[in-house]
Amino acid sequence: MASTAKLPNLNQVSRVDQVGVEERAARFCARSIKNESKQEALMMVLSMIDLTTLEGQDTPGKVTQLCHKARHLNAARPELPTVAAVCVYPTMVAVAKKALTGSNIHVASVATAFPSGMSTTKIKLEETRMAVAAGADEIDMVISRGAFLQGDTRFVFDEIAQVKEACGKAHLKVILETGELGTLDQVRRASVLAMHAGADFIKTSTGKVQPAATLPVTLVMLQAIRDYYHETGRMVGMKPAGGISKAKLAIHYLVMLRETLGNAWLTPVWFRFGASSLANDVLMQIEKQRTGVYQSLDYFSLD
Amino acid sequence: MAAKYTVSAKRTSAKVGKKTRRATPKTKNVPVAKTYKLYINGKFPRTESGRYFKLEHKGKVVANVCQASRKDFREAVVAARAAQKGWASASAFLKGQILYRIAEMLEGRHQQFVDELQAQGVLKAPAEAEVDQAIDCLVHYAGWADKYQQIFSAVNPVASSHFNFSVPEPTGVVSLLAPQRSGLLGLVANIAPAIVGGNTVVVLASQRLPLCAISFAEVLHSSDVPGGVVNILTGATDELAGQFASHMDVNAVIYCGTSKQTITEIEEQAANNVKRVITRAGKYAHGPYTIKDTLEIKTTWHPVGA
């Protein structure tokens, strides 16, 4: 991939109409969703979650616990889907891999000096290889925002391409950290850059910077994916992450996905939610739909 | 709009600074009627359902009142849950101070509440008495804030090497179906003991006399009561009673009324998560035992010696 990838001319990237995007994004929140569709949507959201723990206080015990939660979202309802992946730090990959043996749940690992990306390319590549060797199925890398904002797009492009190469068979998700890019135009440029450099997924945020994922930002990225698909014929996945903790909001995202990219993307293969507390809210809503009674977090396991 | 601009243009064109007196405007002020909205999480939103009912007295419409929906209730419970931990950990002294502050603010608005009760059909003398009693009630519970713990706590004798003690803790989120007959006192006499115990509450105001509830929310709002500690809805009791009783994130439900059928319904719904059900009817018994209704006693066994 790296040898064939070519840095696109970012000056040619179409500009984003910020007001238009915000208006359009707001519209997705106003769709009427009937009960049956809601039920289906909730199930789909569950299956698209990358259950995430990225904290300095993570321990093997906590990661094992989270993997257990990933496998058994609600012990009383085994017919529910499992989440798509568990997302951890590189040092926890082996632990997660072991805890998820025998399930279809992927292990995703952040890499490349997450969350700031402030390290040398050599160390980033080494970290990526280490995570893949430990068994990561997916790598979530961060771009060098400093270099990107400085205009050094060649450096950012090469770095993504090199990490992609280091990933081998593992899927590469590229985190743009849109909260640090400043404008939607920059988000669009970074998306184009990442896709051309070989990203399998583009992802909004690390979750460590505010604002994290928002509907407008995600819409801009989805539009970039659509245009890239029309241009090259290659599908790229999308992962909004950070700040999506309510089922209702997650459904708005699905509506936006459906109306921007169409049905082909409506699967965990092409769309993920990076979240830590979303799963429980979705479970609560599913239970609410089933019983007709508003639920309490007291009755759902924390992890 | 155009007319308004002409007026202001005239005013600015008048020479300011000269001793010529501006003629007093001949137009009368249009009275501004208050919009009675809900009180959720320290804010005054309209009901999400967009439903209103007309409150009438002697054939005249007194006010348009929000008819809250179950979704408004859900929002209120989320707010109450979020506020509960912080409110429970506020010091007893602070809770007392805040309750006293509510009393002060209510005193300042004495006349407004009397007028409001009268607009809803209460006679003048009972209306004045009711506002006085509501203020007294708040002061009463403000005093209890740092005292009830001593009455309900105990060091228990046990036949093993343990230091065994019991202390009261708040039950959590309390939903309250306020009495129909008393628009202010009934409300205050139920809210005050619940919050002084560290609970947060979601209240459905009297359907017949809802106005004072929302004005009382304004009093709470200016009394340092943190947002979410008291949430007040107006609406149909029949419609919402089931929700008040069934919500899994509510820990206790207080029903002020005598309908046997409603009580049975509430008890059945509350059984889902073993909610505490408290029914109150008739007179308001002020005192520590009313606080105790929404307290839970936690007993600790602490090993000592060998």
Side-chain angles (χ1 to χ4, degrees):
Chain A
M1 199 70 200
S3 54
T4 57
K6 216 180 121 212
L7 178 65
N9 183 354
L10 291 183
N11 293 326
Q12 304 267 307
V13 172
S14 57
R15 301 293 299 266
V16 178
D17 166 13
Q18 187 182 339
V19 174
V21 163
E22 278 164 8
E23 286 281 313
R24 178 90 179 116
R27 287 290 183 88
F28 297 121
C29 304
R31 300 282 183 266
S32 157
I33 297 166
K34 302 298 172 208
N35 264 340
E36 282 168 37
S37 314
K38 193 189 269 178
Q39 194 81 356
E40 291 298 317
L42 288 170
M43 294 291 182
M44 185 175 275
V45 171
L46 267 194
S47 71
M48 287 174 166
I49 292 175
D50 281 5
L51 207 57
T52 304
T53 178
L54 295 168
E55 280 165 32
Q57 58 195 359
D58 284 351
T59 58
K62 193 180 168 213
V63 171
T64 311
Q65 187 80 20
L66 190 77
C67 293
H68 186 82
K69 171 84 177 171
R71 297 180 78 145
H72 312 280
L73 282 170
N74 184 350
R77 310 227 18 223
E79 74 278 12
L80 293 179
T82 60
V83 297
V86 168
C87 186
V88 293
Y89 271 119
T91 46
M92 292 295 161
V93 170
V95 178
K97 193 75 190 167
K98 193 176 157 215
L100 293 172
T101 317
S103 71
N104 294 325
I105 303 167
H106 286 187
V107 176
S109 168
V110 295
T112 72
F114 181 93
S116 68
M118 298 301 258
S119 188
T120 62
T121 307
K122 195 179 156 200
I123 288 173
K124 291 180 185 178
L125 293 175
E126 194 52 43
E127 193 186 5
T128 308
R129 285 191 204 102
M130 188 207 102
V132 174
D137 306 292
E138 301 167 3
I139 297 292
D140 289 27
M141 74 168 288
V142 290
I143 64 167
S144 300
R145 279 89 73 188
F148 180 82
L149 291 173
Q150 207 175 267
D152 199 350
T153 47
R154 164 63 65 188
F155 173 79
V156 179
F157 182 84
D158 287 349
E159 206 172 58
I160 298 173
Q162 280 173 291
V163 173
K164 171 69 188 164
E165 206 169 315
C167 282
K169 279 188 178 171
H171 272 225
L172 177 65
K173 304 195 199 106
V174 178
I175 305 172
L176 308 179
E177 194 63 296
T178 53
E180 290 185 345
L181 294 185
T183 64
L184 291 178
D185 279 329
Q186 293 282 46
V187 171
R188 171 102 192 189
R189 280 192 210 108
S191 307
V192 171
L193 176 83
M195 288 187 291
H196 279 274
D200 297 302
F201 261 74
I202 50 176
K203 174 174 167 183
T204 58
S205 330
T206 57
K208 306 286 183 198
V209 168
Q210 287 303 327
T214 62
L215 282 162
V217 153
T218 311
L219 179 59
V220 168
M221 291 169 74
L222 289 173
Q223 287 169 342
I225 292 173
R226 183 183 59 198
D227 294 347
Y228 179 77
Y229 175 70
H230 288 321
E231 193 184 317
T232 65
R234 188 167 81 92
M235 283 171 84
V236 174
M238 174 70 209
K239 176 175 171 183
I244 307 169
S245 55
K246 298 287 175 222
K248 195 175 182 181
L249 181 58
I251 292 176
H252 295 328
Y253 273 91
L254 287 188
V255 170
M256 181 163 74
L257 176 66
R258 167 70 182 75
E259 292 186 23
T260 312
L261 291 178
N263 283 334
W265 265 266
L266 272 178
T267 113
V269 179
W270 297 113
F271 194 79
R272 298 282 180 81
F273 289 105
S276 49
S277 55
L278 175 62
N280 266 348
D281 195 65
V282 176
L283 290 174
M284 270 166 56
Q285 297 312 316
I286 290 175
E287 204 59 11
K288 156 74 176 61
Q289 295 283 323
R290 194 175 68 85
T291 58
V293 171
Y294 288 120
Q295 299 297 310
S296 164
L297 263 183
D298 287 354
Y299 304 96
F300 294 84
S301 62
L302 283 178
D303 48 31
Chain B
M1 279 313 258
K4 203 175 174 190
Y5 277 116
T6 2
V7 170
S8 63
K10 262 186 195 168
R11 276 191 187 162
T12 39
S13 66
K15 285 177 188 168
V16 185
K18 273 199 169 183
K19 278 183 180 175
T20 47
R21 262 201 194 166
R22 213 161 51 192
T24 42
K26 281 172 189 167
T27 49
K28 263 174 81 184
N29 256 354
V30 179
V32 179
K34 181 155 100 187
T35 314
Y36 287 86
K37 295 190 271 189
L38 308 177
Y39 184 55
I40 300 173
N41 202 18
K43 295 195 169 63
F44 292 90
R46 291 169 197 276
T47 167
E48 63 80 38
S49 66
R51 301 176 306 171
Y52 299 87
F53 63 93
K54 286 196 176 88
L55 187 75
E56 292 180 17
H57 176 56
K58 288 186 178 165
K60 261 181 72 183
V61 176
V62 180
N64 275 322
V65 183
C66 286
Q67 188 180 343
S69 67
R70 62 191 169 88
K71 288 189 180 172
D72 292 316
F73 172 64
R74 177 192 63 185
E75 293 306 311
V77 173
V78 169
R81 173 58 64 196
Q84 204 272 321
K85 214 172 165 189
W87 178 243
S89 62
S91 70
F93 178 72
L94 181 64
K95 285 192 200 101
Q97 290 282 296
I98 288 177
L99 256 84
Y100 194 81
R101 176 85 180 155
I102 303 173
E104 286 175 4
M105 292 291 110
L106 190 53
E107 181 75 65
R109 292 196 186 208
H110 196 289
Q111 193 55 47
Q112 183 198 346
F113 280 90
V114 172
D115 292 346
E116 226 161 39
L117 283 170
Q118 282 184 279
Q120 296 172 95
V122 181
L123 293 175
K124 193 174 181 216
E128 279 184 339
E130 181 167 347
V131 179
D132 285 340
Q133 283 171 33
I135 295 165
D136 285 352
C137 171
L138 284 161
V139 174
H140 175 86
Y141 284 112
W144 275 114
D146 56 0
K147 297 173 188 70
Y148 72 85
Q149 298 88 343
Q150 296 150 58
I151 299 182
F152 301 128
S153 296
V155 174
N156 313 311
V158 287
S160 60
S161 54
H162 289 92
F163 176 47
N164 183 298
F165 57 96
S166 302
V167 286
E169 287 188 344
T171 300
V173 174
V174 176
S175 66
L176 164 65
L177 296 155
Q180 294 295 333
R181 277 192 221 164
S182 169
L184 180 63
L185 180 59
L187 193 79
V188 172
N190 284 292
I191 291 178
I195 62 172
V196 80
N199 301 288
T200 53
V201 290
V202 180
V203 188
L204 182 63
S206 164
Q207 195 173 343
R208 279 171 44 197
L209 307 163
L211 299 192
C212 293
I214 299 304
S215 297
F216 184 63
E218 290 158 13
V219 168
L220 293 170
H221 197 64
S222 52
S223 308
D224 286 349
V225 181
V229 170
V230 181
N231 304 277
I232 301 180
L233 311 178
T234 52
T237 311
D238 287 345
E239 181 195 349
L240 289 175
Q243 298 291 332
F244 270 58
S246 68
H247 198 307
M248 296 289 276
D249 214 16
V250 171
N251 305 108
V253 52
I254 303 175
Y255 171 64
C256 302
T258 48
S259 158
K260 285 237 169 75
Q261 195 197 339
T262 312
I263 292 175
T264 315
E265 259 173 44
I266 287 175
E267 282 176 340
E268 278 172 9
Q269 302 264 28
N272 267 334
N273 67 337
V274 214
K275 242 181 236 84
R276 188 171 286 243
V277 179
I278 299 141
T279 54
R280 287 179 187 152
K283 291 220 162 186
Y284 311 106
H286 302 321
Y289 293 96
T290 316
I291 304 175
K292 190 167 177 271
D293 282 346
T294 48
L295 293 177
E296 281 174 6
I297 304 296
K298 178 161 137 186
T299 296
T300 306
W301 295 69
H302 191 82
V304 286

